[in-house]
Amino acid sequence: MQSGLKKKLLVAAVSLGFAMAAPVAGMAADTIKLGVAGAQSGDLASYGLPTVKAAELVVAMYNAKGGINGKMIELLIEDDVCKPEVATNTATKLVTDGVHVVLGHICSGATKAALPIYKEAGVVVMSPSATNPDLTQSGDYPNFFRTIASDDAQAQTEVDFAINVIGAKKIAVIHDKGDYGKGLAEFAKKFIQESGKAEVVLFEGVTPGAVDYTAIVQKIKRKGADAVIFGGYHPEASKIVSMMKKKRLKITFISDDGVKDDTFIKVAGKNAEGVYASGPNDNSANPLSTAAIDAHKKEYNEDPGAFFENAYSAALALLNAIEKAGSTDMADIVKALQTETVATPVGNIHFDTRGDAVGVGFAMYVVKDGAYVEVK
Amino acid sequence: MDYFIELLFAGLTRGSIYALIALGYTMVYGIIGLINFAHGEIYMIGAFTSFIVATVLSIYGFPLLAIVIIAAVAAAVWSSAYGFTVEKLAYRPLRKAPRLAPLISAIGMSIFLQNYVLLAQTSDFLPFPELIPEFAFMEPVAHIVGSSDMVILVTTAIVMIALTCLIKFTKIGKAMRATAQDKTMAVLVGVNVDRVISATFIIGSALAAIGGLLIASHIGQINFYIGFLAGIKAFTAAVLGGIGSIPGAVLGSLVLGLTESFATGYISSDYEDVFAFSLLVLILIFKPSGLLGKTETKKV
């Protein structure tokens, strides 16, 4: 037994060594080829490199156990510099090298450009970071999955909360005219209208830094709104919340990640009490998350970078699906991704029919006694 | 009708906020024809000073009224010192230089003071204590006009009247008018022009500091950047009313505040600035010197 284990470890170490030294050298024919594509050089390398490291850690772990169904896992790492025109070449190269599944790409634009090539070749792709809503919602890419919530998921969380939990019927949607705030507000407006359960009574932008928001607060009151959804950052949010209090307007204030910041509570003080804000799910209590980060620190002597946990989870989900499906056929893998729940650093996830991870996304928090607590 | 009154008071409050800052712009312009871009920063320093003083005093448990008075005096004195120093260091040496030089110097002072506060204090937003309490007798109308709105409105009115009296009836006021009309002649008849200009900066800065205290207390937050945005709007208001004219600055501020408020209320706050600046353009087309500005050199 012991010597068998040692042998396996040796094989794992050797295969990993090969994988890192010469990713495309091609090992024995009988390996599972996991492609990793994304920005690994250039301006956005800091977004792509943590994914490579996550893949290396997960693959090392699997190979140490003896691979999947007796097959070792081989990494094929390709750089796309986050450019759509490079990404198509990257994808073609990976497909030519016989990749089975791909972890990537990192940027939404590059991912969108590469997807048709993978689709043609029947390769499942899972991104840790591409948030463009269309990638899953258009239905064009049945081979695409992701372990990060899409851009509109936050607005969806806020709207669901406002309508189903608060029971709001008339919602005022206010934003700060910025890319982030206005983008969120537009999604929120769309989702409220689509729900049919509430109406948008006001949709307006305020000028950030203005000395006084009395007029907009009076307008919110005039429109009879029973909840406000604000898209923007905390300085405006605290001014509006304080002004609502001063004008004796008692309605629910719901905002976003830009407001889920301790500075908001510090500045708005007692007026912050009862304000709701959405924010990413908190993974810090998840032992798998801690374990993944510790493994990274041990291996590379530094804290992991952007999207590391999402990438780690995506690699786990992909390999788990291959293991459960017992095959590398696209149809089998897709089925396994949708039906098999896998424990990952971002939670216990499986995927919906569009390719978004169920269980990954945003939670609602409320200010209670001077701190944000999750609304259960 | 209620809605109209609510918007009216929202506009008046906003206008009064602009006016407290605009008065300093217009006084300085009236005397030496300089747009003091650092004025917004003096306002910001006033807000920071009152923040620090009020925080320290409330730790020692002073009553609220004492805190307000001491903080206001401290802010006024401290900001005046800044205004006086800025004038002495950045503008006085350029008094005989072409008009563009002191203007650039003013922009430089504005950037310098912003970054100074950023480095010396913090880049974060700070919670400003509520120095103006909610008066019980205001409660029935609090949804229309709150205590802090009322204090700002009354203060602006008092300040405007006091300034007008100062310029019309006092000796320093007479000297100011003389300096505004003709600096050289004023010197010849024995007016100490340098001292008059210093006095103007001190008065303007003290007003900005009081404004800083009231406005920060109304809004509830400060950071190093508040002076820039408020300063731009106040400057616009001063031009609208006729820069150099004291009642003009107040009138221009109120017109600007009301326009923004009604534009937000009846049309959309998306276009609040569009309406404000369209109005400015229209007024300047038909009355290039502003609402109450006079075309000749008679200013202040």
Side-chain angles (χ1 to χ4, degrees):
Chain A
M1 269 316 266
Q2 276 235 320
S3 72
L5 183 67
K6 268 186 187 163
K7 210 169 179 179
K8 278 177 180 170
L9 277 173
L10 188 68
V11 172
V14 170
S15 68
L16 184 65
F18 266 106
M20 285 199 228
V24 289
M27 293 267 303
D30 221 16
T31 56
I32 290 168
K33 295 190 174 98
L34 170 65
V36 180
Q40 287 143 22
S41 64
D43 295 347
L44 300 172
S46 61
Y47 287 150
L49 289 173
T51 296
V52 177
K53 289 180 173 161
E56 283 170 355
L57 289 171
V58 172
V59 168
M61 190 176 77
Y62 261 90
N63 283 343
K65 287 191 299 190
I68 294 174
N69 306 330
K71 291 180 185 177
M72 287 295 142
I73 301 151
E74 184 187 347
L75 275 175
L76 305 180
I77 300 169
E78 287 294 330
D79 188 3
D80 73 358
V81 220
C82 265
K83 288 188 175 144
E85 64 273 22
V86 182
T88 51
N89 293 339
T90 310
T92 311
K93 176 134 200 318
L94 284 172
V95 167
T96 315
D97 289 339
V99 76
H100 293 113
V101 286
V102 171
L103 171 60
H105 294 210
I106 300 300
C107 302
S108 291
T111 308
K112 204 166 194 167
L115 277 176
I117 296 166
Y118 295 121
K119 187 180 162 189
E120 195 78 8
V123 173
V124 168
V125 179
M126 190 178 291
S127 171
S129 58
T131 54
N132 185 306
D134 269 357
L135 289 173
T136 51
Q137 291 171 15
S138 65
D140 290 343
Y141 310 109
N143 59 328
F144 180 72
F145 297 84
R146 61 178 154 207
T147 51
I148 191 165
S150 65
D151 286 337
D152 56 349
Q154 182 162 197
Q156 185 73 63
T157 309
E158 288 171 25
V159 169
D160 286 349
F161 182 79
I163 294 176
N164 299 329
V165 182
I166 304 292
K169 294 273 175 266
K170 293 175 161 186
I171 302 174
V173 180
I174 308 293
H175 59 84
D176 67 355
K177 299 184 193 170
D179 281 345
Y180 168 73
K182 193 171 182 194
L184 265 177
E186 274 167 353
F187 278 124
K189 183 183 170 192
K190 189 174 134 223
F191 294 142
I192 295 168
Q193 285 164 345
E194 283 171 3
S195 76
K197 290 185 208 154
E199 59 173 322
V200 180
V201 290
L202 185 64
F203 181 79
E204 271 182 30
V206 297
T207 309
V211 289
D212 181 83
Y213 289 131
T214 312
I216 191 77
V217 167
Q218 299 288 24
K219 196 169 186 181
I220 293 169
K221 185 162 73 178
R222 162 93 166 169
K223 296 284 180 182
D226 43 22
V228 176
I229 291 182
F230 175 74
Y233 297 98
H234 63 83
E236 278 64 58
S238 57
K239 278 193 230 174
I240 294 174
V241 165
S242 306
M243 198 48 74
M244 277 166 51
K245 192 72 159 263
K246 280 194 173 166
K247 298 300 168 204
R248 308 293 185 264
L249 187 55
K250 289 191 188 78
I251 60 175
T252 313
F253 189 87
I254 300 168
S255 196
D256 49 41
D257 202 19
V259 174
K260 198 195 156 283
D261 183 315
D262 288 341
T263 316
F264 170 73
I265 300 176
K266 197 180 85 182
V267 171
K270 61 184 191 318
N271 296 334
E273 290 294 311
V275 165
Y276 295 96
S278 56
N281 286 338
D282 184 8
N283 298 324
S284 59
N286 184 342
L288 283 171
S289 161
T290 335
I293 292 169
D294 286 346
H296 185 282
K297 281 185 188 158
K298 205 173 147 203
E299 185 74 26
Y300 304 104
N301 279 323
E302 58 182 9
D303 284 329
F307 309 120
F308 172 77
E309 286 177 63
N310 303 77
Y312 197 95
S313 306
L316 281 178
L318 282 171
L319 296 179
N320 179 67
I322 294 174
E323 190 169 18
K324 293 279 160 60
S327 131
T328 50
D329 276 355
M330 180 174 144
D332 295 337
I333 297 177
V334 167
K335 188 158 170 277
L337 284 171
Q338 287 169 356
T339 50
E340 301 286 343
T341 299
V342 52
T344 71
V346 295
N348 294 335
I349 55 169
H350 66 277
F351 296 83
D352 64 16
T353 50
R354 300 189 308 185
D356 280 318
V358 177
V360 168
F362 293 90
M364 291 304 299
Y365 298 82
V366 63
V367 182
K368 203 175 166 194
D369 301 327
Y372 274 110
V373 291
E374 194 170 342
V375 182
K376 300 286 180 196
Chain B
M1 193 60 198
D2 268 3
Y3 187 49
F4 176 83
I5 293 171
E6 284 167 3
L7 290 178
L8 180 75
F9 274 100
L12 286 177
T13 307
R14 200 181 250 229
S16 302
I17 289 174
Y18 293 152
L20 283 171
I21 310 170
L23 284 169
Y25 272 108
T26 220
M27 278 177 67
V28 167
Y29 186 88
I31 303 276
I32 54 173
L34 165 74
I35 296 162
N36 179 15
F37 278 110
H39 189 66
E41 271 55 59
I42 300 288
Y43 149 77
M44 178 266 293
I45 286 170
F48 264 92
T49 313
S50 41
F51 169 74
I52 293 165
V53 172
T55 310
V56 170
L57 291 183
S58 57
I59 291 171
Y60 286 104
F62 278 68
L64 191 62
L65 188 65
I67 293 178
V68 174
I69 292 171
I70 298 172
V73 171
V77 170
W78 196 243
S79 290
S80 302
Y82 269 96
F84 175 79
T85 315
V86 165
E87 192 270 328
K88 199 141 193 172
L89 291 181
Y91 307 148
R92 190 168 295 181
L94 297 170
R95 184 109 8 108
K96 300 238 157 41
R99 275 175 73 111
L100 212 51
L103 196 71
I104 302 296
S105 185
I107 294 173
M109 281 319 292
S110 162
I111 296 170
F112 172 81
L113 288 175
Q114 261 179 40
N115 286 281
Y116 163 69
V117 174
L118 165 70
L119 294 172
Q121 297 293 329
T122 169
S123 61
D124 252 354
F125 278 87
L126 294 170
F128 198 91
E130 213 177 312
L131 293 182
I132 307 165
E134 299 271 346
F135 301 123
F137 67 88
M138 293 291 290
E139 196 50 42
V141 290
H143 63 286
I144 301 171
V145 49
S147 306
S148 57
D149 306 75
M150 191 47 95
V151 171
I152 288 175
L153 290 174
V154 171
T155 310
T156 308
I158 293 173
V159 162
M160 186 189 75
I161 293 165
L163 265 187
T164 313
C165 291
L166 177 92
I167 283 158
K168 279 228 165 94
F169 304 119
T170 65
K171 207 173 157 199
I172 184 84
K174 205 183 255 178
M176 280 177 177
R177 279 181 287 151
T179 311
Q181 281 172 7
D182 192 328
K183 240 181 282 172
T184 324
M185 270 313 285
V187 174
L188 288 178
V189 297
V191 175
N192 187 340
V193 170
D194 280 345
R195 189 178 291 168
V196 169
I197 293 173
S198 288
T200 312
F201 271 85
I202 287 171
I203 295 170
S205 302
L207 286 182
I210 308 282
L213 183 146
L214 291 178
I215 297 162
S217 172
H218 176 67
I219 303 173
Q221 57 175 264
I222 53 171
N223 84 338
F224 72 95
Y225 202 59
I226 52 169
F228 180 77
L229 292 160
I232 292 281
K233 278 286 170 68
F235 172 63
T236 309
V239 172
L240 190 67
I243 193 154
S245 154
I246 287 188
V250 175
L251 181 66
S253 301
L254 292 180
V255 168
L256 189 68
L258 288 170
T259 309
E260 288 180 350
S261 177
F262 285 121
T264 297
Y266 288 115
I267 302 157
S268 164
S269 67
D270 288 314
Y271 299 106
E272 157 190 300
D273 287 348
V274 176
F275 280 98
F277 286 97
S278 306
L279 180 79
L280 178 74
V281 170
L282 274 180
I283 287 180
L284 291 186
I285 287 174
F286 292 106
K287 216 163 173 311
S289 53
L291 290 172
L292 298 183
K294 298 194 176 82
T295 34
E296 64 266 83
T297 47
K298 194 165 170 262
K299 295 164 200 140
V300 176

